[in-house]
Amino acid sequence: MALTILADDLTGACDAGTLFAGTSSVPVTVWPDPPADAPVAVVDTESRELELEEAAHRVRRAAAEVGRTDRASWFKKIDSTLRGHVGAEIAAALQATGTRSAVACPAFPAQGRVVRDRRLFVDGAPAAHVVDALRPGIDRPLAWIPLGEVRAGAAALAARLGRLAGMIVVADAETDADLEALVDAALAVEPPPLLAGSAGLARPLAARLGCLAGPVSLPAGRWLIVAGSLHPATRRQIAEARRAGLRVLTTPEHEDGDRARAAAALAAEAARLLAQESFDLVVVTGGETAVALYRALGAHRIDLVGAPGPGLALGRLQAPGRAALTVMTKAGGFGPPRLFVSLLEAAA
């Protein structure tokens, strides 16, 4: 089954797409380029920071490009903390693909994100009401499947989804088993609903489609960390990496200016360094930083090869006139303080 993943930022596109690289690499392209022609392809619409209408327009246009190839299945990648115009983009994907229903669940238990009683919790703290976050921009009814119904068994859950045809269904999930149940039930419905979630929901889908990537090793040697995210998790990781002697490029600790401009400046600095020195791995953290570096290097896609860990994606950045660059992407809010140090120690 051919699959297209529609994402709203580059690190999210990578951490979901890389899970499907078990049988072949998964290409990621960035707006305005269309998805590549591959069994599983990812397109980053770069729409998270746009106005609602423009974000929805980009999703519709990206899906329309794929529609000409009769691609059979879709996954809408959404942020695990519900940033961006999540509801409007799901509705746009439904409209563009002609899919009747959607099942939305941002849960990512491996990164401390769970959904209980329609509320998203991050590391145990309430973060958002999922229904309220989705409602803007949605032109169809919303429904809710509580945790008890998610755990009622595949047949009962599939029947419930079938009765909710035409709706956008918000589902609770606290564990990977809950997400597996949602995927199994969705695939049992005919026609299947659009699945909308984070890498947490993408993982069981990749497993059911027979293309889940196994563990991949990172190259030892010289690493460059390019970290534009201001998230406290990334800042702790940067501090630990510097103490361990890793090469780090980052934005100032208290960057208060234009985030896109700061990311572009950081990416330009990284591109200059990469023109002068060789590195075995470039680690990029933060979606804005990742796409800024992608553009600074003139890239046309990233070929994903696997996940070194939850929320991480390993790939080869392809740009005309230069050798493929081995990169690892990570969202700003993911990972423990010694993440980079531990990964380097494991690679050595």
Coordinates of all heavy atoms in Angstrom, one line a residue, residues 267-302:
A267 N 21.6 28.7 10.5 CA 21.8 27.8 9.4 C 22.9 28.2 8.4 O 23.7 27.4 7.9 CB 20.5 27.6 8.6
A268 N 23.0 29.5 8.2 CA 24.1 30.1 7.3 C 25.4 29.8 8.0 O 26.4 29.5 7.3 CB 23.8 31.6 7.1
E269 N 25.5 30.0 9.3 CA 26.8 29.7 10.0 C 27.2 28.3 9.9 O 28.3 27.9 9.6 CB 26.6 30.1 11.5 CG 27.9 29.9 12.3 CD 27.7 30.2 13.8 OE1 26.5 30.6 14.2 OE2 28.7 30.1 14.5
A270 N 26.2 27.4 10.0 CA 26.4 26.0 9.9 C 26.9 25.6 8.5 O 27.8 24.8 8.3 CB 25.2 25.2 10.3
A271 N 26.2 26.2 7.5 CA 26.6 25.9 6.1 C 28.0 26.3 5.8 O 28.8 25.6 5.1 CB 25.6 26.6 5.1
R272 N 28.4 27.5 6.3 CA 29.8 28.0 6.1 C 30.8 27.0 6.8 O 31.8 26.6 6.2 CB 30.0 29.3 6.7 CG 29.4 30.5 5.9 CD 29.8 31.8 6.4 NE 29.4 32.1 7.7 CZ 28.2 32.7 8.0 NH1 27.4 33.1 7.0 NH2 27.9 33.0 9.3
L273 N 30.5 26.5 8.0 CA 31.4 25.5 8.6 C 31.4 24.2 7.9 O 32.5 23.6 7.7 CB 30.9 25.3 10.1 CG 31.7 24.3 10.9 CD1 33.1 24.8 11.1 CD2 31.0 24.1 12.3
L274 N 30.3 23.8 7.4 CA 30.3 22.5 6.6 C 31.0 22.6 5.3 O 31.5 21.6 4.8 CB 28.8 22.1 6.4 CG 28.1 21.6 7.6 CD1 26.6 21.5 7.3 CD2 28.6 20.3 8.1
A275 N 31.2 23.8 4.8 CA 32.0 24.0 3.5 C 33.5 23.9 3.8 O 34.3 23.7 2.9 CB 31.6 25.4 2.9
Q276 N 33.8 24.1 5.1 CA 35.2 24.2 5.5 C 35.7 22.9 6.2 O 36.9 22.5 6.0 CB 35.5 25.3 6.4 CG 35.2 26.7 5.8 CD 35.1 27.8 6.9 OE1 35.3 27.5 8.1 NE2 34.8 29.0 6.5
E277 N 34.8 22.2 6.9 CA 35.2 21.0 7.6 C 34.3 19.9 7.3 O 33.1 20.1 6.9 CB 35.2 21.3 9.1 CG 36.1 22.5 9.6 CD 36.1 22.7 11.1 OE1 35.9 21.7 11.8 OE2 36.1 23.8 11.5
S278 N 34.7 18.7 7.6 CA 33.9 17.4 7.4 C 33.5 16.9 8.8 O 34.2 16.9 9.7 CB 34.8 16.4 6.7 OG 35.1 16.8 5.4
F279 N 32.2 16.5 8.8 CA 31.6 15.9 10.0 C 31.0 14.6 9.6 O 30.4 14.4 8.5 CB 30.6 16.8 10.6 CG 31.2 18.1 11.2 CD1 31.4 19.2 10.4 CD2 31.7 18.1 12.5 CE1 31.9 20.3 10.9 CE2 32.2 19.2 13.1 CZ 32.4 20.4 12.3
D280 N 31.1 13.6 10.5 CA 30.4 12.3 10.3 C 28.9 12.3 10.5 O 28.2 11.5 9.9 CB 31.1 11.2 11.2 CG 32.6 11.1 10.9 OD1 32.9 10.5 9.8 OD2 33.4 11.5 11.7
L281 N 28.5 13.3 11.3 CA 27.0 13.4 11.6 C 26.7 14.8 12.0 O 27.5 15.5 12.7 CB 26.6 12.5 12.7 CG 25.1 12.6 13.2 CD1 24.2 12.0 12.1 CD2 24.9 11.9 14.5
V282 N 25.7 15.4 11.4 CA 25.2 16.7 11.8 C 23.8 16.5 12.5 O 22.9 15.9 11.9 CB 25.0 17.6 10.5 CG1 24.4 18.9 11.0 CG2 26.3 17.8 9.8
V283 N 23.7 16.9 13.7 CA 22.5 16.8 14.5 C 21.8 18.1 14.5 O 22.4 19.1 14.8 CB 22.8 16.4 16.0 CG1 21.5 16.3 16.8 CG2 23.6 15.1 16.0
V284 N 20.5 18.1 14.1 CA 19.8 19.3 14.0 C 18.5 19.2 14.9 O 17.8 18.3 14.7 CB 19.3 19.6 12.5 CG1 18.7 21.0 12.4 CG2 20.5 19.4 11.5
T285 N 18.4 20.2 15.7 CA 17.2 20.2 16.7 C 16.4 21.4 16.5 O 16.9 22.5 16.4 CB 17.7 20.0 18.1 OG1 16.6 20.0 19.0 CG2 18.7 21.0 18.6
G286 N 15.1 21.2 16.4 CA 14.1 22.3 16.2 C 13.7 22.4 14.7 O 14.6 22.3 13.8
G287 N 12.4 22.4 14.5 CA 11.9 22.4 13.1 C 12.3 23.6 12.3 O 12.7 23.4 11.1
E288 N 12.3 24.8 12.9 CA 12.7 26.0 12.1 C 14.2 25.9 11.7 O 14.6 26.3 10.6 CB 12.4 27.3 12.9 CG 11.0 27.6 13.0 CD 10.7 28.9 13.8 OE1 11.2 29.0 14.9 OE2 10.1 29.8 13.3
T289 N 15.0 25.4 12.7 CA 16.4 25.3 12.4 C 16.6 24.2 11.3 O 17.5 24.4 10.4 CB 17.2 24.8 13.6 OG1 16.9 25.8 14.7 CG2 18.7 24.8 13.4
A290 N 15.9 23.1 11.3 CA 16.1 22.0 10.4 C 15.8 22.5 9.0 O 16.5 22.3 8.0 CB 15.2 20.8 10.7
V291 N 14.6 23.2 8.8 CA 14.3 23.7 7.5 C 15.2 24.8 7.0 O 15.5 24.9 5.8 CB 12.8 24.1 7.4 CG1 12.5 25.5 7.9 CG2 12.3 24.0 5.9
A292 N 15.7 25.6 7.9 CA 16.6 26.7 7.5 C 17.9 26.1 7.0 O 18.5 26.6 6.0 CB 16.9 27.6 8.7
L293 N 18.4 25.0 7.7 CA 19.6 24.4 7.2 C 19.4 23.7 5.9 O 20.2 23.7 5.0 CB 20.2 23.4 8.2 CG 21.5 22.7 7.9 CD1 22.6 23.7 7.7 CD2 21.8 21.7 9.0
Y294 N 18.3 23.0 5.7 CA 17.9 22.4 4.5 C 18.0 23.4 3.3 O 18.5 23.1 2.3 CB 16.4 21.9 4.7 CG 15.8 21.1 3.5 CD1 15.8 19.7 3.5 CD2 15.2 21.8 2.5 CE1 15.2 19.0 2.5 CE2 14.6 21.1 1.4 CZ 14.5 19.7 1.4 OH 13.9 19.1 0.4
R295 N 17.4 24.6 3.5 CA 17.4 25.6 2.5 C 18.8 26.2 2.3 O 19.2 26.5 1.2 CB 16.3 26.6 2.8 CG 14.9 26.0 2.5 CD 13.8 27.0 3.0 NE 12.5 26.4 2.5 CZ 11.4 26.6 3.1 NH1 11.3 27.4 4.2 NH2 10.3 26.1 2.6
A296 N 19.5 26.4 3.4 CA 20.8 27.0 3.3 C 21.8 26.1 2.5 O 22.7 26.6 1.8 CB 21.4 27.3 4.7
L297 N 21.6 24.8 2.5 CA 22.4 23.9 1.8 C 21.9 23.6 0.4 O 22.5 22.8 -0.3 CB 22.6 22.6 2.6 CG 23.3 22.7 3.9 CD1 23.3 21.4 4.7 CD2 24.7 23.2 3.7
G298 N 20.7 24.2 0.1 CA 20.1 23.9 -1.3 C 19.6 22.5 -1.4 O 19.6 22.0 -2.6
A299 N 19.2 21.9 -0.4 CA 18.7 20.5 -0.4 C 17.4 20.4 -1.2 O 16.6 21.3 -1.3 CB 18.6 20.0 1.0
H300 N 17.2 19.2 -1.8 CA 15.9 18.9 -2.4 C 15.2 17.7 -1.8 O 14.0 17.5 -2.1 CB 16.2 18.6 -3.9 CG 17.1 17.5 -4.2 ND1 16.6 16.2 -4.3 CD2 18.4 17.5 -4.5 CE1 17.7 15.4 -4.6 NE2 18.8 16.2 -4.7
R301 N 15.8 17.0 -0.9 CA 15.1 16.0 -0.1 C 16.0 15.4 1.0 O 17.2 15.6 1.0 CB 14.5 14.9 -0.9 CG 15.6 13.9 -1.5 CD 14.9 12.7 -2.2 NE 15.9 11.7 -2.5 CZ 16.7 11.7 -3.6 NH1 16.6 12.7 -4.4 NH2 17.6 10.7 -3.7
I302 N 15.4 14.8 2.0 CA 16.1 14.0 3.0 C 15.6 12.5 2.8 O 14.4 12.3 2.9 CB 15.9 14.5 4.4 CG1 16.4 15.9 4.6 CG2 16.6 13.5 5.4 CD1 16.0 16.5 5.9

